[in-house]
Structure formats: structure tokens, C-alpha cells
Amino acid sequence: MRVPLSWLRDLAPVDASVDDLVHHLSDLGLAVESVDAVGGGLDGVVVAKVLALRPHPDADRVQLVDVDAGDGAARQVVCGAFNMAEGDHVPLATAGAVLPNGMEIGRRKVRGQWSEGMLCAPDELGLPGGHDGILVLPPHTVPGAPLAEALGIAPDVVFELEVNPNRPDALSVAGVARDLAARLGVPFALPEPQVHESGRPAGSMATVEIADPDLCGRFAARVLTGVQVGPSPQWLAARLTMAGMRPINNVVDASNYVMLELGQPNHPYDLARLGGRGLRVRRAREGEQLVTLDDVTRTFTGDDLLICDAEDAPVGIAGIMGGASSEIGDATAEVLLEVAWFQPLSVARTAKRLGLRTEASARFERGCDPDMVPRAADRFCELLGGAASVAPGVIDVRGELPERPRVRLRTSRVNALLGTDLGTDEIRGHLEPIGFSTEAVDDGTLEVTVPSWRPDSAIEVDLIEEVARHHGYMRIPRTVPPSAHTGTLTPYQRGRRLVRQILAGAGASEAWCTTFLAPGDLERAGLSGDAVRVVNPLATEESLLRTSLLPGLLKALAHNAAHRNPHVALFEVGRVFHRPPEGQQLPDEREVVAAAVGGAEAPEAVTVWAQVAEGLLIGEHRLEAATVPGLHPTRAARVVAGDQPVGALGEVDPEVLEAYGVPGRVAWLELDLGVLLAVPHGEGRYRPVSRFPSSDVDLSFTVPETVPAGEVARTIRAAGGDLLVSVALLDVFRGAQVGEGSRSLTFRLRLQAADRTLADDDIAGVRLACIEAVEAAHAARLRG
Amino acid sequence: MIDEIHAARDEALRRVEAAAGVADLDGAESALLGKRSALAALRQRLGALDPDERREAGRALNEARARVEEALAARRSELAAGARADRLEAERLDLTEVVPTRRRGHLHLVTQTRDRLEDVFVGMGFVVAEGPEVETDWYNFEALNMPPAHPARSMWDTLYVDLGPPESTLLRTHTSPVQVRVMQAQSPPIYAVMPGRTYRRDTADASHLPVFHQIEGLVVDRRITFGDLAGTIEAFTNAYFGPDIHTRLRPSYFPFTEPSAEFDITCVFCKGDGCRSCGQVGWLELGGCGMVHPNVFRAVGYDPEEWTGFAFGFGIDRMTASRHGIDDLRELLSNDIRFLEQF
């Protein structure tokens, strides 16, 4: 919402400095996006008429324009825009002018051709309209006239405000002025429109009917005859320009002016082009169509509200946009003005469904002021009065309007919620100036009537917000509540942080991959493609929710490889999503951690896992041979901790790597964090460290290749009893001495007792038990 | 006799001085002090002397022996130091030739920020709560005072998934549904922050990401006020950004809080003087906040007359980016090692 300061001052004597006004507006919740000084810096800019357009002999991207700046002589200007035609009036900055943006204009050569000044785009003049082309001026402007005078622009300041959705009233100059006046303690008043009526009464020339009163609460119409369509007065066109709207003609401009000033959208129809000379408001029929002002054919459903003529032909979408058939044109002589109140949700639904948001719909869907209707109609007639006769009377038809709520407001509740110490009178002092009338019910309670322009206020807390806003958020004393808790992370959150630190310590850096996958990403990674789908993705590349971190991390490795970092190690902690079982709405959502080590083979994944297990102090864990989707078929294992499968590790399938463009090998570890951190870890009881000497025993077995070394170690551990404190795989040897299909595994057993020095018998006993157990369980035999 | 003792002593000292190594010295020691040494031979002749001469010669012999032993010890330590120096010199390494084989990885910058934020709030007595990223419409909107077709829903461009009836299941557009889950799961008092990943139907550009991170705070207790909200935000800001960074609250609108506010912090670059980063205003927009709306309390079965509370939330990624001078948010999910290793 662009609000010129001069317009605010028409309604309230706000004379604070611009900086103070910016502060007050922000503090009232009307955030100031920008402040533009307009109309200044236009000395030396005059209206010029385009006489001829000629190509520049040495340049394609500029042309030569001959203009008449009022003295009849042709001046040559070099110009980079091509949007004007012969006969157009355009702004010429003459030599010596300094534009609002500080640019100094001189007579200079451009690619060998003299340019006597510069033709200007709107932004170069500090006017809205951008930089897309030269500002083409209305034809009634006079060549040679100073531009500021020709456009009726006096130096002014325009505030660009960001208006919250709960403040329909602030989508008008009046609403902003009312808030500001209350804050500054100055009076605010809307001047009464002066309308001179003459001729036949409006009711005898047009009809209005509301067929669906639930969606149209009020519909007023005014008739103007003898209309002379032409340009608006300069002051009015200038205000619209500053507010960011393009002047069109006096009828349309008056309509827009009323909307901006009072926040009441309205629509002028060419009465002669309305069948049956009247309007009828009704729901659309399924599939009904209308060509709107923007020349688009719109198709409706039974939920949409249409404005039809008296013969039931659609002529507009209620509250959103008019039809092309009854548009105001140069030949329009009779105008029927619609000023209505439409049901906000209905307008919102239709606008959303059609993808058509207009200045009108933005106001109707937030909720307009039904009591503003007659004043807005009169204001339009006042503005257009000089170019038309206003027929006596207003046709004013009512439908269903919402009740104006009366709300109880407890002073104690205000102070309890805000932490203030306001008296009832202070509270009234904040509410009354913005139109909330109050009546004391008892000592500490007010009964408040909400003004018709504040449909957002319906309950007590809405009023408390108004009190806080006008009291000033920054004036509320700041306190810190004492927390009733000892703040702490959960064991899971601490465990997750530890896992991250362990993986970083293992050399991997943390990646952040998007949650979305493209169709085919899962299949390329060797995974099932049955993922949760996004129904309305912006791009098909973002249409699936990941079921694994593998595709994302492979893409990340490929990215790094493409930037000459082929062997990076990355990890990620993130959610994956699996389709839910029947009868459950939300997906099976799990937090997992995965590490991908570029340029490393499967053993690196075992090392990384060992560090995680060591770091978390997981006692019991093992690897089990398994086929894991996406992983190398003969280099993968399931990770089991505390008898729970917690994930998988190994090497990514070379075919998958090729599909993702990842060079070399990639070691892979993926763990379900929820399961992993639920495994008992890091909470062991102290075991006394033995003060007696230990002995080592090395055992070498010939073991078939089909028996995993981990299984043999487990057997030894189980057989070794209390004296066996550790088992480590010392050496693996393959060769002729061992024989085809087997290898030699050498384990080092460390034996120690807590309470004595081991005797030879102790050692021999453990040794024998381990040998017997391994030979019995694994078709293995001790090597000599 | 005395002269002979002195001659033997001087000869011994010469030999000690001449020893070239520890082994040489060991040989010299027995030759000079052992049973067959010159000094030992002289001592054997003491018995033949008269008492006065014997006393004098005995003292001279003892002195001579002490001198030799002292010289041996001195020479021994001198030789050992030399040998150690030779050995160490032989082990000399150019440590700048070493290429580290194990590298340490880096936590993602957003994780580091999230951890720091969590730590600040934990220090203020908050717990950290989490919830699902795929949510129901009820948790994401309806329980937050946005019934179906509520116009404020258009403030969030929502991504829906193909679970349940159409538009019933979605990727959460904010972390606020976790507030609802926390309140459902327990009774007040509640002091909790809720960090997590959130989603909007938005095209990624320098200042927007469709997948991003927020942190949200919720306090529900008896007699919690708007002043407590403002004070908590100020305390957090001081703890996280430093004591010279302050906050201001401006009225705003969110369906789930009332009164609602946007909160700004002192521009961290210019400390409030006005610069390019803050558009010359001296403030940076950080997030939204407000007093929990009574309808939200009703949705979870709390009595809004008994309990009051506040909530606040802001984006982690954008704050991280501005703090570290990252001018394109997409860099945060580039996963380029050259980026990750900087933090």
C-alpha cells in the first residue's frame, strides 16, 4: 500500500517529521518498506513531443529521437528505449537538470551523435512505473511545460506500507490516517462528500437485485448521466500515480481513487451496455463463462458469485473483476456505479481458485466496511461531478451482514496478559480514537462496540492487542519468567550430537541434502521406488520424499568430484519417510545417519562403524552378512547392536555409483538413529582394572571361506570364560599351505584374572576350551 | 713417595682425559683404580713406612683417588651427552614434510548454529522438543486457529503429500505444530524450544529455500505476560549475539498468537548505525512472536483463563547466513567440501 503524505494530511493534521512518522507507523504495525520523495528534482525536466524516430548510424541499441520542447525547434536526443511513437509526449531532461537520483544531464555525444538532454523513464524521475521504457505522458500535456506542473506533482513523500492480513482498514489512506492521528493525538475526520444531484431519480433508470443475500450483504448503486469521459484532473492523476496506479480516464480514476482513499472497492459500468439496465447478484451456474476486463475467458463453479445484468447475463465477478462487455469507454455517456459488500470467504475462495488477485479482491477478502458503502458512492459522484450529472438517490439493497460484536474487556485481563498497570481510563483512551466505543459495565469492565471497519476484532484478546498497539509495544516493561525446569537435552539429543562429533572425528564433514528426490533417483540407487509423493511440487525433481540418504549423498559426492575433489567423506543426519501401514495417516518417519566415504572400500565403513560403537560405548555389536539394496552384493553387512539390527554398511554398488556419476569406490554406513540410540550404551558399571599380570595366547585356525571371521571370534569369546579379557584378529593368511577354499585366521587372546597371577593350568584350560569350541562350531582346525 | 703418588695421579688424569668413548673409559677405570693400578700398588707400600710418613702418604693417596674418581664421572657424563646428541641428530625429522593422513570433518554450519541456539535456551531453563516433518492439516493449521478456508492459510505456500484425503497431509510449513504436540503431551508449565526442518512451496533463490530450518519457543505457565515475551527475546538475543545487540517488537499478525509481533535485532554489522545490510535502518528482521491465542489453548484442552503463554520463532538458515556473510542461501545446501570445511 503506497500512501502519499499529502493525502494523509487531507484527513488528519499530521505534521511530525518523516522520520518520526516512519517510526510511528512501524510501531503501530504498519511496517514501512520504503519512503520515496517524489516530485522533487524535476527542475529542467519538460514535456517534449516526439517529431521523428531515426536509427543511430553506428549503434543498434540506441536510436535518435527528434523532439520539440515547446519552442518549435527539433532537438536530437539519443535514446536507449524504443517504446514511444511519433507524436507521443515524453519527459525531456534538458542540459543542466539534476534528476532525483542525482544524475546530472548535459549536452554530450553518444557514439558520435549529439544528444541534447535525455528522455526519462519513470524511475529516473522518482515516479512509480519502473525502468521498462520512457514515460509516455497524457496527450493533453503541453510541450515545453515543466513536467511537475504538467503532471500536477508537488514535492511529496510516499510511504510504502506492508499491511498485515488482519488490517483491512489499513488498506486505505483513511485507515492509515485514523491510526496515525490516534497515535499523534490529533483529530481525524473524513470530509462529507458534496454531491449535486439533478435530473431523473436513479431508481427510475436502473434496477438492482440481490439473489443470494448470504454472499452479498449490501449493494448500492448510483447513476450518472451526461458523462464526458476524458482525462482526470492533474491533481487526481498525480495522486494515483504516486500511489502506484496508472491513470486511465476520469471515470476509472475516480473509482480507483475512492478505493485507495476509503478502502471501498467499487465498479463503474457503462449503463447503456447493461441488458435490462440493471444488475443482479447471484451464484454462478456450473460451467458458466465470462470474458473479464483483462480479456481472459473465465469459467465458474456454483460457489462463485457473479454480477449479472438485469437479463441475467454475467457482467462481472463479484468483488474481483468486471467484465469486458460493459467496460467504460470513450463513448460511455451513462454510468452505473456499483458499491457493495461481499462475503469475504466467498471472494477469497473464488480469487484463489481463479488465481486472480486484484486490488478489489484483496480488500473484500479481508473484509470491507459495510457502513462505508454510501459514503464511497457519494465520494465517487463528488469526484466525477464536474464531468457528469448525478441522478438523485442511491439504490441501496441489503443482504445478510455480520453482526457488529460487542465485547467485554476486563482491565485486569489487559494487565495480566500484557504485564502492564493500565487504568480503565487509559484503556478507553487507546480504544476510542480508533473508533472502538466503550461503555463502563462496572469498575473494571468495559463493554466495547467494534467499529464496522474492524471485522478482525471479535473477542477480548483482539481488543487487548489494540490497547497494546496504541500503548506501544516498546513501552511494556520487559521481564524474564523464571523457568520451572532445569533445561537439558534428552539422552537422544545428546547421543545424536555425539554421533555427529564421532563422524566428524572420523574425517567426514556434515552435508545437508534436500528431503526431495526426483522420480528415478531411488531406482538408480538400487532402492524401491515406493515413496511418499508430493502432490503439488514446484518441479518434478522435487516430487518424492527420500526413503534413504543414499541418493542425496551420492549427488553430493558427484558434485564434489565434478569440482576436482573426488574423494570427500560426507555424513548426514536427517529424516527419511516410508509409506505408512494401512490405517495410518502419517508416514513412517525416521531419523537416520549415513556416512559416505569417497575413494574408500568397504573396510573403511567397518572402521567408521567401530568408531561410532566405541564412541557411544556400545558393548555388544556385530556384523552379519546380508544383501543390502544399493550396496555391493558381496561387500555388505547388516549392523547389529545389542541384538537389534541398527543399519547396514559396506560399499556402494559400482553400478549405482556409475548411475550417479561418482568415480571410484564409496564406503557406506547407514544407521537408524532412533534404534541405535535406544541400544544400551555409555552407562556401564565400573569393572576393577586387574593388578595382576596378563598373558597372551595366539591361536591360528584354518577356517573355510564361508565362515566369517567375526563368527569365529564370537565362538572364542563365548568359550573363553571370565579369564578371557579380549580377542583380536591378528592376521589373515591365504595360500597353498592353507589350501583352496580356506584361510588361516590368527587370533590373539589376552588372559587375565582379577584376583591372582594366572597359573600355567589356567592358561592351558582356556586355550583348550577355545580350540575345541572353534573346531566343533566351524569346521575349522588348529594349525600346528 | 708423595712425588710418586702425584705422578701416578697425574698419569691417571691424563688417561681419563684421553678416553675416546664410554667403553674406553670403562677400561680406563679398572686400570686406574683397580687392584693392579699404580695407586693400588702404592697403597700396598704404605705398611713399610714409619707412622708419620704413612699418615701423610695415606692422605695423599686418598686425595689422589678422589680426584681420579671425580674426573672419571665428569668424563663419563661428558661422553654420554655427546653420544645422546649424536643419536638424536641421527633421528632428525623435517616435520613440514609430514602429510596428515587422518583429517577431521566439520559439522554443518546450520547444525553448529542450531546447537548454539539450543545451548542458549537450555541455559535459560528450556527443554528441546521435536516433531514430525510430515504433518496433518490439523496440527499445521487447524489447531493453530486456522480452520479450513481460513484466509491466513495463504500466508504459507504449502506442499501436500499423497497420504490420507486430499490436502489432509502436508510437509509442515513451520515448526509450530510441535507446540501443539508438546501441549497435548503434557500439562503446563512448559518451557520448550522446537528446532527443525520446515518446507514451503517456493523456488530456491538467494534469499529463499523451499527446505529450511526454524527454531520456535513456547512458554506456558500461570501469569505469563507480553512483558515476559519481550524480556525473554531480549535475554536470548543478548546471550546469543552479545550484550550490545538489542531487540524491538512491532505489531504484526499471526493467527496463532495475539497480540502478535515481529521482532527485530540491532543490525549485527553496523550495531544500529545503518548500513547496506540493514537497508540503513539499523535493525534486522529476525522472526515473529506473540501471546498464544486462546483458540490454540482450547484446541489442546488448556483453559486460557488459567494459563497464558507466549511463542516465538525464526529461521535458522537466514540468521546463519547473515551472521557469516553468506549472500546466497543455496550455498548452505551445496554440500561442496570447499564450503563445508570453512566452518
Side-chain angles (χ1 to χ4, degrees), chain A residues 462 479 504 515 535-536 589, chain B residues 105 133 160 199 201 228 234 258:
Chain A
D462 296 331
T479 45
T515 309
V535 179
N536 57 336
E589 184 173 327
Chain B
E133 293 175 10
Y160 292 95
Y199 300 84
R201 190 169 187 273
D228 292 332
E234 178 78 11
E258 190 161 20

Side-chain angles (χ1 to χ4, degrees), chain A residues 23 26-31 33 162 164-166 345 348-349 352 357 365 410 413 415-419 456 459-465 468-469 473-474 476-490 492-493 496-497 500-516 531-538 542 545-546 552 556 559-560 563 565 568-575 577 579-580 585-587 589 591 604 607 611, chain B residues 102-108 110-111 114-116 118-119 121-122 124-137 149-151 154-155 158-165 167-169 171-172 181 186 189-191 197 199 201-203 209-213 219 221 223-232 234-235 247-253 257-262 285 291 293-295 304-305 307-308 310 317 332-338 340-341:
Chain A
H23 165 77
S26 281
D27 204 42
L28 287 166
L30 302 167
E33 303 256 277
E162 187 193 327
N164 289 315
N166 65 327
L345 273 183
R349 261 197 296 265
K352 185 182 176 199
R357 284 229 152 71
E365 67 180 49
R410 294 163 293 172
R413 182 70 178 170
N415 290 321
L417 201 64
L418 298 182
D456 58 300
I459 56 175
E460 187 179 38
V461 71
D462 296 331
L463 304 182
I464 295 174
E465 180 171 65
R469 213 164 55 81
Y473 280 13
M474 294 303 280
I476 295 172
R478 295 178 174 191
T479 45
V480 179
S483 167
H485 297 288
T486 303
T488 178
L489 296 179
T490 62
Y492 179 83
Q493 288 159 348
R496 181 174 55 197
R497 284 192 179 189
R500 281 190 159 108
Q501 291 292 358
I502 294 167
L503 291 173
S509 284
E510 188 180 12
W512 162 15
C513 299
T514 175
T515 309
F516 301 120
V532 175
R533 269 204 322 282
V534 179
V535 179
N536 57 336
L538 267 185
E542 299 172 353
L545 301 191
R546 62 185 177 187
H559 166 87
N560 281 293
H563 292 86
N565 287 308
V568 301
L570 297 175
F571 79 92
E572 182 178 12
V573 174
R575 308 276 179 92
F577 306 83
R579 297 195 71 86
Q585 184 179 351
L586 293 182
E589 184 173 327
E591 190 157 55
E604 176 66 17
T607 304
Q611 294 192 46
Chain B
R102 274 281 171 200
R103 303 201 55 188
R104 188 178 169 83
H106 299 251
L107 296 195
H108 196 281
V110 172
T111 298
R114 176 180 156 162
D115 287 355
R116 280 196 59 198
E118 288 176 357
D119 292 346
F121 283 111
V122 164
M124 291 168 68
F126 285 61
V127 297
V128 179
E130 294 169 72
E133 293 175 10
V134 174
E135 266 295 4
T136 64
D137 178 272
H150 191 285
S154 63
M155 290 163 73
T158 309
L159 288 163
Y160 292 95
V161 298
D162 65 339
L163 299 173
E167 303 208 341
S168 67
T169 315
L171 285 153
R172 64 179 178 192
R181 288 183 178 274
Q186 67 167 100
I190 294 170
Y191 291 78
R197 191 174 275 200
Y199 300 84
R201 190 169 187 273
D202 217 343
T203 307
L209 294 176
V211 180
F212 57 106
H213 300 89
V219 168
D221 207 338
R223 294 180 294 279
I224 293 292
T225 68
F226 191 88
D228 292 332
L229 164 62
T232 299
E234 178 78 11
T247 52
R248 70 169 182 184
L249 270 54
R250 292 178 286 113
S252 187
Y253 171 74
T257 51
E258 190 161 20
S260 298
E262 302 264 358
E285 282 185 27
M291 301 302 291
H293 197 284
N295 289 348
E305 288 289 317
W307 304 104
T308 54
F310 62 77
D317 313 309
L332 293 175
L333 41 70
S334 67
N335 295 328
D336 194 310
I337 196 73
R338 295 167 296 176
L340 298 175
E341 284 180 348

Side-chain angles (χ1 to χ4, degrees), chain B residues 24-25 97 107 248 256 273 290:
Chain B
D24 206 2
L25 200 64
E97 284 175 3
L107 296 195
R248 70 169 182 184
F256 32 89
D273 294 340

Side-chain angles (χ1 to χ4, degrees), chain A residues 147-457:
Chain A
L147 183 73
E149 196 176 294
L151 291 179
I153 300 174
D156 204 343
V157 172
V158 181
F159 302 103
E160 170 108 48
L161 303 180
E162 187 193 327
V163 177
N164 289 315
N166 65 327
R167 292 293 307 278
D169 65 304
L171 286 176
S172 69
V173 178
V176 175
R178 185 189 293 115
D179 239 10
L180 208 47
R183 168 57 67 93
L184 297 173
V186 297
F188 161 82
L190 289 174
E192 288 303 319
Q194 302 301 308
V195 182
H196 304 287
E197 300 177 331
S198 63
R200 292 168 54 200
S204 70
M205 288 187 283
T207 60
V208 170
E209 182 199 348
I210 300 176
D212 285 306
D214 56 329
L215 299 188
C216 178
R218 189 170 189 182
F219 197 112
R222 275 257 185 195
V223 174
L224 296 92
T225 59
V227 178
Q228 292 165 303
V229 176
S232 288
Q234 279 169 3
W235 68 268
L236 193 152
R239 277 216 170 144
L240 288 182
T241 305
M242 282 190 290
M245 292 191 111
R246 206 157 57 85
I248 309 239
N249 59 47
N250 51 356
V251 178
V252 174
D253 294 351
S255 166
N256 284 332
Y257 191 94
V258 169
M259 177 180 70
L260 293 176
E261 183 173 71
L262 302 176
Q264 172 65 56
N266 57 88
H267 190 75
Y269 297 87
D270 186 333
L271 179 54
R273 292 164 74 182
L274 290 176
R277 295 182 65 86
L279 292 175
R280 186 164 186 271
V281 190
R282 64 160 170 85
R283 279 188 168 79
R285 289 184 264 277
E286 204 68 35
E288 204 166 3
Q289 289 191 322
L290 170 70
V291 178
T292 42
L293 275 174
D294 51 0
D295 278 327
V296 177
T297 303
R298 312 278 177 178
T299 306
F300 303 102
T301 72
D303 289 334
D304 302 323
L305 191 67
L306 294 181
I307 311 296
C308 301
D309 64 17
E311 292 167 353
D312 214 31
V315 294
I317 315 171
I320 300 176
M321 191 180 270
S325 65
S326 53
E327 188 178 358
I328 302 297
D330 290 346
T332 300
E334 290 175 295
V335 166
L336 176 64
L337 178 74
E338 163 204 311
V339 187
W341 187 92
F342 299 112
Q343 214 271 325
L345 273 183
S346 157
V347 174
R349 261 197 296 265
T350 299
K352 185 182 176 199
R353 195 181 58 72
L354 295 175
L356 184 62
R357 284 229 152 71
T358 60
E359 292 280 343
S361 74
R363 287 168 173 81
F364 279 123
E365 67 180 49
R366 288 170 159 96
C368 285
D369 175 4
D371 291 356
M372 183 60 76
V373 166
R375 177 189 291 275
D378 286 352
R379 180 68 167 139
F380 175 89
C381 295
E382 179 183 50
L383 289 171
L384 202 56
S389 304
V390 180
V394 181
I395 307 169
D396 192 351
V397 184
R398 303 296 182 111
E400 295 161 19
L401 283 173
E403 294 278 317
R404 276 173 73 176
R406 294 162 71 82
V407 184
R408 294 255 163 145
L409 179 61
R410 294 163 293 172
T411 299
S412 59
R413 182 70 178 170
V414 172
N415 290 321
L417 201 64
L418 298 182
T420 47
D421 190 20
L422 298 174
T424 306
D425 285 344
E426 276 174 283
I427 292 170
R428 296 178 96 153
H430 287 315
L431 290 174
E432 295 275 359
I434 50 171
F436 290 79
S437 59
T438 62
E439 201 180 309
V441 177
D442 59 45
D443 207 14
T445 310
L446 294 172
E447 182 155 278
V448 180
T449 305
V450 174
S452 53
W453 57 85
R454 290 303 300 272
D456 58 300
S457 286

